[in-house]
Amino acid sequence: MELQFYGATERVTGSCHVVRCAGKTILLDCGLIQGLAAEEALNREPFPFDPRDIDAVVLSHGHIDHSGRLPLLCRQGFSGPVFTQHATRDLALILLQDAARLEEYDVLRENRERRKRGEEPLEPLYTNEDVVEVINRMQTLPYDVRQEILPGIELRFQDAGHILGSAITELWLTENSETRKLVYSGDLGQYDSPVLNDPSSVSEADAVLVESTYGDRLHRERAETLREIGEIISSAARGGGNIIIPAFAIGRSQELLYLFGKYGDAWGLDEWQIYLDSPMAIEASRIYWDYPELYDSEARLMRDRLLEMPRPDNLHFTRRAEESKKINDIEQGAIIIAGSGMCNGGRILYHLKRHVERPESHVMITGYQAEGTLGRRLVEGNEVVEIHGRMYRVAAAVHTVGGLSAHGDQHDLLRWANGFDTRPAMYVVHGEDAPKRALAALLAESCGVRAEVPAPGEKVDLLASRKG
């Protein structure tokens, strides 16, 4: 009975871990590696295991850094079920289809350059047909239902509060009459964030995998975050510019719309036109509205009263590329929400090209920016950035609104980890090196547990783990 660590051990993205028990092999997530070009090239490297040996996948949530290589896994021989939460299946369909479309587009563009250099063309990592294969393999479970998924292996999902359908994974593993419980946090949301519930508490485990995206820092308090957003809107109104918001299509975009609907009067949004410029975010918003049973009590109450989630009257959904292009004719008074959230592709790049050199415009960063992405360079204050092969001087005001992150901060992570009545061994993953090591040290100190930062490929004997 063993746990082996692969993806998200050297970086934040590419989550992927292997569990072996009673002759069966399970994969926890199978995410895409994102960031620098050299890192993204790793997606084309062979898996460090044979996909044909995987009996089942357990998917914590739909974000591409957790789900994005599932179609490739199927393409290379995986033929088992993928267990996930109901809402995650719906969201994964649109996320993976978008990833396949972008992959085919990027390969087409790359192959034009390769032909000029006389190099062999690339094949896409996967296609939409591979995505359909993955979705058809998904078997869904609600939260808080314990079910045997393979002989000797039981699974239960708990709400992780990160995005709709995000799950904390509980696995009961039995081999030779010995049972151990493994818990995988997936991505944990903030406590007291809007729309979704707080991360569920788990009281017992023998071993825990915990994420560490913000393991070394704290978010701004919610009240301060709301005040900051209001100040950004007021400043942009006075300066006569637009507000550009790179936002993840799943989670962040829906939370922004909820806040704009709730605080529209206080923030003077009736003077603005708001554009959700992302077909994927529009479709994801529809899915969000279809799952009111997964909201927190305040959001459920507001939806029951309004028959939908609150949203401003001056909100425009721009699905077609032609509509998106017209937005850039607007000189002032527009709030533009577009993907991708890390500015490493999508429509946001065209809006940044139009506005990043305008001192009257504002760029509002609302989530984690991986190393090597354009979003990270903006956050770090680079005076010049490259977009589509051209250099642009950054004159727009760039704001980092950390309080809107879908990831819990250090206090949130410690709060969740301290919910265990037992003293499980903890393995810190899904973070850059400094956050991982900072969180591991604090877990050892505050929880009184053995906390380690595993190396890629490292194995842990789960039978050696016992409850404290």
Side-chain angles (χ1 to χ4, degrees):
M1 187 188 297
E2 69 180 16
L3 167 65
Q4 189 166 17
F5 308 95
Y6 285 119
T9 49
E10 297 176 287
R11 57 188 60 84
V12 175
T13 61
S15 287
C16 181
H17 309 286
V18 171
V19 178
R20 299 181 181 93
C21 174
K24 301 296 182 182
T25 303
I26 290 179
L27 206 59
L28 299 178
D29 289 344
C30 191
L32 204 68
I33 300 168
Q34 299 170 301
L36 296 166
E39 290 187 309
E40 294 189 351
L42 296 175
N43 291 308
R44 293 190 170 275
E45 295 293 318
F47 286 104
F49 47 80
D50 189 338
R52 294 170 296 182
D53 292 340
I54 305 299
D55 295 292
V57 175
V58 176
L59 176 62
S60 66
H61 65 288
H63 276 153
I64 289 298
D65 61 326
H66 290 257
S67 69
R69 282 202 291 175
L70 281 173
L72 183 62
L73 193 75
C74 284
R75 195 171 197 177
Q76 295 186 6
F78 168 69
S79 59
V82 178
F83 295 97
T84 196
Q85 208 275 346
H86 296 293
T88 294
R89 184 184 188 275
D90 292 346
L91 293 175
L93 173 61
I94 60 173
L95 279 161
L96 291 173
Q97 284 182 324
D98 184 70
R101 180 184 59 81
L102 290 174
E103 170 67 14
E104 291 184 282
Y105 173 79
D106 289 344
V107 165
L108 185 66
R109 185 176 57 186
E110 172 67 17
N111 282 342
R112 285 198 292 264
E113 298 302 316
R114 292 175 76 89
R115 278 195 296 272
K116 293 176 184 176
R117 299 192 297 265
E119 298 174 356
E120 289 294 318
L122 295 175
E123 290 289 327
L125 278 177
Y126 52 81
T127 65
N128 192 61
E129 288 74 18
D130 300 310
V131 170
V132 172
E133 173 73 15
V134 169
I135 300 301
N136 287 338
R137 293 193 174 280
M138 288 188 177
Q139 298 183 22
T140 61
L141 292 173
Y143 291 135
D144 205 27
V145 172
R146 181 171 170 175
Q147 177 175 313
E148 184 178 68
I149 59 171
L150 291 169
I153 301 174
E154 293 178 277
L155 166 68
R156 182 168 66 191
F157 289 133
Q158 301 282 6
D159 196 339
H162 173 62
I163 63 170
L164 195 76
S166 59
I168 298 162
T169 297
E170 297 177 279
L171 286 172
W172 287 264
L173 309 168
T174 301
E175 184 175 283
N176 298 327
S177 301
E178 293 271 4
T179 299
R180 296 291 181 269
K181 184 180 178 186
L182 172 66
V183 174
Y184 171 41
S185 72
D187 284 351
L188 294 170
Q190 293 191 59
Y191 289 83
D192 302 318
S193 62
V195 184
L196 299 180
N197 292 300
D198 291 345
S200 298
S201 294
V202 182
S203 60
E204 293 186 347
D206 296 299
V208 176
L209 281 78
V210 60
E211 68 120 324
S212 58
T213 309
Y214 288 102
D216 63 345
R217 71 198 82 170
L218 303 178
H219 296 319
R220 183 165 294 187
E221 292 293 332
R222 178 66 53 172
E224 293 180 16
T225 296
L226 297 175
R227 187 160 51 247
E228 182 181 11
I229 295 173
E231 290 170 354
I232 292 169
I233 293 170
S234 295
S235 177
R238 291 192 301 271
N242 292 331
I243 301 174
I244 314 302
I245 307 178
F248 297 101
I250 310 295
R252 198 66 36 77
S253 295
Q254 290 74 39
E255 183 176 340
L256 283 166
L257 295 183
Y258 177 87
L259 293 174
F260 287 164
K262 183 176 180 180
Y263 297 102
D265 290 342
W267 291 342
L269 290 178
D270 56 341
E271 301 296 323
W272 293 81
Q273 297 300 312
I274 301 169
Y275 297 88
L276 184 59
D277 188 26
S278 166
M280 186 165 62
I282 294 167
E283 179 64 14
S285 298
R286 181 191 63 77
I287 294 171
Y288 258 68
W289 307 159
D290 287 344
Y291 282 93
E293 70 274 14
L294 301 182
Y295 302 164
D296 63 18
S297 57
E298 179 187 64
R300 274 199 309 274
L301 184 64
M302 294 184 76
R303 188 187 188 281
D304 290 344
R305 189 169 68 243
L306 299 173
L307 302 180
E308 64 175 1
M309 292 295 284
R311 62 187 190 191
D313 295 331
N314 49 352
L315 172 64
H316 309 278
F317 293 135
T318 54
R319 291 179 171 86
R320 297 193 301 273
E322 294 76 14
E323 296 172 318
S324 177
K325 291 175 183 177
K326 288 181 180 178
I327 298 173
N328 279 328
D329 294 334
I330 302 172
E331 294 287 334
Q332 64 182 56
I335 297 175
I336 305 164
I337 306 169
S340 69
M342 296 186 193
C343 308
N344 56 345
R347 293 182 179 180
I348 192 66
L349 296 181
Y350 296 93
H351 298 304
L352 288 172
K353 286 163 69 173
R354 174 73 174 84
H355 292 284
V356 77
E357 294 189 317
R358 300 181 66 207
E360 63 270 30
S361 289
H362 295 250
V363 179
M364 194 166 90
I365 304 292
T366 61
Y368 178 79
Q369 305 297 309
E371 184 179 356
T373 61
L374 173 59
R376 181 67 163 257
R377 289 190 283 274
L378 289 171
V379 167
E380 291 176 344
N382 286 22
E383 296 181 356
V384 177
V385 295
E386 181 180 352
I387 308 174
H388 289 159
R390 180 188 153 189
M391 306 307 293
Y392 290 81
R393 181 179 60 88
V394 180
V398 177
H399 311 269
T400 303
V401 186
L404 289 182
S405 175
H407 286 271
D409 66 7
Q410 186 184 83
H411 281 175
D412 294 317
L413 295 170
L414 290 173
R415 176 175 171 179
W416 181 78
N418 272 290
F420 290 94
D421 295 331
T422 56
R423 289 293 176 263
M426 293 196 175
Y427 302 97
V428 183
V429 295
H430 200 288
E432 294 178 2
D433 189 62
K436 281 191 297 193
R437 298 198 178 280
L439 183 63
L442 284 171
L443 288 170
E445 178 184 344
S446 68
C447 302
V449 300
R450 186 178 85 251
E452 300 177 7
V453 177
E458 183 176 335
K459 294 180 181 180
V460 169
D461 180 2
L462 293 173
L463 284 173
S465 299
R466 293 192 177 275
K467 294 181 176 65

